[in-house]
Every structure is written in structure tokens, then in C-alpha cells.
Amino acid sequence: MTSKPRDLETPRPAGRLGGIELSLIRQINALATPLSTNLGIGEPNVEPDETLRELARRAATTSWHYSPNAGTLSLRKKIADDPNEVCVTAGTEEALYAIFQAYVDSGDEVLIPDPGFVVYATLAKICGAEPVPYPLHPPSWELDADAVLSRITPKTKLIIVNSPSNPLGAVANRRALEAIANAGPLVVSDEVYRQLWYDAEPPSMRSMSRNVIVIDGMSKSHAMTGLRIGWALAHPDVLKPVITAHQYIATCASVFSQCLAEMVLDAKEWNASWLERVRAQFRDQREVALHAIERDLDVKLDPPAAAFYAFVPVPSCDTLTFAKTLATDAAVLVIPGVAFGINGEGFVRISYAASNDAIGTGIERIGRWLRAAGR
Ligand SMILES: Cc1ncc(COP(=O)(O)O)c(C=O)c1O
């Protein structure tokens, strides 16, 4: 005979999650209805072609057992000349989490871009560390090395750099990156958008100093967001604690995804043409977005150099309320700039990872709403 479960109280979450909620991006996306035009999305509107699907079918027939914690040797050899410099992770995000767990203590300071990807500040807070924003300024959003270096204190444990940037689409120049790489503290260079460029290939921080961990993956370049495949690249001594943390988070990345990633990197000719096609598609969508932003919102933006985001000034200071109102009243989803830090206030992030129709319709709806509201 089974006994009836007791009516127990819901357990209290750990203090480290105090004040941490689902990101504003998720909160805005939760307002979507079937009629919404979604320009809030952070993933490519690209589907696998027949070759990629065939590679996935083949990947599914290989071993389903655990791989070494750092990833299969064969994949690591494809990612870097020295496989000891690679830890394959369940997406770039898990690489970030493992790095924070490996290096950041309570009381440390972590320098983060503002505006910048929401996860950096949250991960610092989860570790009990203080996120210290370094500002980026419109209209170029150029990374200013001095703005970073001047904020280094004895407590600075980690500096986060994200080029190309989410939410800005901006690319940092090599000189600024070199100065930051050699400043002293450990640097994490989030390069997950580096393949999605339009004019010139963005510089990588890889090998700029022994103190740099580059993180990258196939979520954005290969539209494999749900397959959770990424990696961290660093000197073996710097990587060792990251592999230890990764073992206790994920054991290893999905072996199916690892195998697929290896096949993608092996298929050099196909891969080069895939990346060309993806860039061409986003270049085209960028044109449509910039044209609509100028026509409907009366804003002429410098074309973002990479990724698939336009960070657009709007005549409203509380952009969170603005984005929520747009979601409910105009059926268009954009992300309020303040979700990326206080320097993002006054802007919204429009993702052009959407069909040309959706980009045109969504931006037109924003313009119509603004005009109706007399803004
Ligand atoms: C700047 C940045 N870093 C990391 C990630 C996480 O990517 P992944 O899917 O590889 O975990 C994202 C996803 O939006 C991102 O925008």
C-alpha cells in the first residue's frame, strides 16, 4: 500500500539566485502571440541544408557513450592545432558558466560590456562577484581599451569582451583587443558571432596573450542553437580548472553534437560555402532592416559590421515599458536596450534574423505605433 504524499512547503531557492529572474529577453518573448512579428529573436533564421541534414543522420549512427570530459580528441584536433587547448562544452553559454565557476570568487570584480549580453552580469552575481560595467558609446559603439583598463582594480578577476557584440553588431579593433589581452587579468573573449561578418573578418583574441580564453561554438554560425555545441580555447594550464568545472556541470557535451561538429569542420568546401551563404542572407536582411528603420523610424544607422542585430534609438526613455507595449499593442517583439545594461536605455534591439517580410512588417508596425502615440 502506498502512502499519500505529505503536503510540503516549496523549498526556498539558494541565496545565490536572490534577485535573479528569467532574462528580460525571455520575459518579452513570453508576450508573443501567434499574430506577433518576432524581431526579438537571438538565433539565425536559417534551416539546415540537405548536406547538413545528411551529416546529422551519419552523426546519429556513431557512439552514444560518454566522451572524455574535454571532448573527443578527433573534434578537439579539428578545432585547434593543440587539442590540449580545447574544452568542448554544451554551447558557449556552458563554457561561460564553467569559466565563472572555475575562476570567479565571492568579492571579485568582473568587467563586463555595457550594453552587453545579459548573461555576463548574472553569472558574476551567481558567483557572489560584482559585475563592473565598462561603457560603450553610440553611434559606433567602438570598444575603448582605456574604458576597460581604467576600471581594473586589485579585485578584478575577469574581463569579458564580446566582439562581434550582442546587442550592438559592433566589431572591436585589433589594437584595443591586444591592449586588453595584455592588461593582466584573465580575459574571456566571447566570439560566438565571429563568423557572421559583412565586410571584413573580425579579429580574434586567440593567442593575443596566455591569459585569454576564447569561447565560440556553432549556435550562430550553423544555426545549431538547440544542439548545444561550443568550446573554450586557452593555454592548457588556464583551461585545466575550466575542464574540472565542466566535468561537474555536463560531464561532456552531447557526443552526437560533437560528432556533427567534427563532420562540419571536415567538410571544408561545403562549410566555406555554407558560411558564405549565411553571411549573404544576413547581409540582405541587414539591408532590408536598415532601409525600413530609416523609412519608418526616421533613424539612419551605421550598418552593423557583424551578427544580426540593430541597436536603434527610440524616442522613449523607458524602453522596457515601450517594448512591452509594442508586444501587446502592436504585436511586434523587440528587446528593450536596458536589458543589456543602463547604457542601453533609450534603444531597442531589433534582430534581423527574420524573413524580409517579418522585418518589413515589424518595423512598419513600430513606426505606425510611434506616430499614433505622437512620438
Ligand atoms: C554574446 C553571446 N554569447 C553566448 C551566447 C550563447 O550561445 P550558445 O548557444 O553557444 O550557448 C549567445 C546567445 O545568444 C550570445 O548572444
Side-chain angles (χ1 to χ4, degrees), residues 9-33:
E9 270 180 31
T10 307
R12 195 154 28 90
R16 73 179 71 89
L17 281 190
I20 295 174
E21 293 178 22
L22 284 183
S23 75
L24 288 180
I25 298 182
R26 294 273 167 190
Q27 292 181 40
I28 294 289
N29 280 325
L31 298 174
T33 71

Side-chain angles (χ1 to χ4, degrees), residues 69-70 87 94 98 240-252:
N69 297 127
C87 177
E94 197 243 321
K240 199 166 168 243
V242 179
I243 298 171
T244 306
H246 163 70
Q247 172 184 356
Y248 291 103
I249 300 167
T251 304
C252 63

Side-chain angles (χ1 to χ4, degrees), residues 25 42-43 89-96 116-120 162-167 190-193 215-220 224-226 228-231 308-309 349:
I25 298 182
E43 59 180 332
T89 54
T92 315
E93 182 120 358
E94 197 243 321
L96 275 169
F117 183 45
V118 288
V119 163
Y120 309 138
N162 175 217
S163 170
S165 153
N166 172 12
D190 182 346
E191 301 184 2
V192 75
Y193 292 98
I215 57 171
D216 200 346
M218 289 195 173
S219 281
K220 315 293 175 174
M224 281 164 43
T225 46
R228 312 310 302 133
I229 187 81
W231 49 83
F308 39 70
Y309 304 114
R349 189 193 76 179

Side-chain angles (χ1 to χ4, degrees), residues 54-293:
E54 177 53 28
L55 296 182
R57 279 191 283 272
R58 279 178 22 213
T61 65
T62 58
S63 164
W64 289 6
H65 295 284
Y66 295 128
S67 77
N69 297 127
T72 61
L73 185 60
S74 48
L75 172 58
R76 284 184 287 135
K77 281 181 168 168
K78 299 261 153 40
I79 294 173
D81 292 339
D82 180 354
N84 296 318
E85 296 189 350
V86 183
C87 177
V88 182
T89 54
T92 315
E93 182 120 358
E94 197 243 321
L96 275 169
Y97 194 86
I99 293 165
F100 272 79
Q101 288 300 311
Y103 280 106
V104 179
D105 275 319
S106 169
D108 287 344
E109 293 177 354
V110 179
L111 300 191
I112 58 165
D114 179 3
F117 183 45
V118 288
V119 163
Y120 309 138
T122 308
L123 290 183
K125 287 181 198 156
I126 288 175
C127 292
E130 189 180 347
V132 177
Y134 60 85
L136 301 162
H137 298 291
S140 71
W141 304 107
E142 177 97 43
L143 174 65
D144 170 14
D146 288 340
V148 179
L149 304 191
S150 64
R151 285 170 172 77
I152 295 176
T153 73
K155 288 188 181 171
T156 307
K157 192 58 190 279
L158 211 59
I159 302 174
I160 309 284
V161 174
N162 175 217
S163 170
S165 153
N166 172 12
L168 307 169
V171 169
N173 71 69
R174 181 177 294 277
R175 274 231 313 268
L177 295 176
E178 281 169 349
I180 293 167
N182 291 287
L186 183 63
V187 177
V188 173
S189 180
D190 182 346
E191 301 184 2
V192 75
Y193 292 98
R194 206 169 72 85
Q195 299 291 345
L196 303 181
W197 49 270
Y198 303 113
D199 304 313
E201 189 174 346
S204 170
M205 286 187 96
R206 180 97 171 106
S207 307
M208 282 189 178
S209 90
R210 194 179 180 280
N211 270 10
V212 170
I213 306 178
V214 166
I215 57 171
D216 200 346
M218 289 195 173
S219 281
K220 315 293 175 174
S221 57
H222 292 78
M224 281 164 43
T225 46
L227 295 187
R228 312 310 302 133
I229 187 81
W231 49 83
L233 300 169
H235 185 282
D237 294 347
V238 176
L239 201 57
K240 199 166 168 243
V242 179
I243 298 171
T244 306
H246 163 70
Q247 172 184 356
Y248 291 103
I249 300 167
T251 304
C252 63
S254 147
V255 287
F256 164 76
S257 301
Q258 291 193 57
C259 184
L260 178 57
E262 187 181 333
M263 288 176 174
V264 163
L265 295 175
D266 252 342
K268 286 200 170 62
E269 224 171 275
W270 170 83
N271 195 29
S273 76
W274 164 273
L275 291 171
E276 257 320 304
R277 264 181 295 141
V278 171
R279 282 179 205 124
Q281 177 183 326
F282 285 127
R283 200 177 282 118
D284 186 39
Q285 288 168 198
R286 181 182 68 157
E287 284 316 301
V288 173
L290 291 179
H291 183 255
I293 288 167

Side-chain angles (χ1 to χ4, degrees), residues 25 28-29 32-33 35-43 45 166-167 285 288-290 292-293 296-297 308-312 323 326-327 330-336 340 348-367:
I25 298 182
I28 294 289
N29 280 325
T33 71
L35 296 177
S36 303
T37 298
N38 196 342
L39 304 182
I41 216 121
E43 59 180 332
N45 62 325
N166 172 12
Q285 288 168 198
V288 173
L290 291 179
I293 288 167
D296 296 317
L297 309 184
F308 39 70
Y309 304 114
F311 210 55
V312 186
L326 283 182
V332 53
L333 304 184
V334 297
I335 307 301
F340 305 97
V348 292
R349 189 193 76 179
I350 292 181
S351 163
Y352 49 87
S355 70
N356 288 345
D357 268 0
I359 297 168
T361 308
I363 295 171
E364 203 246 317
R365 284 184 192 173
I366 301 173

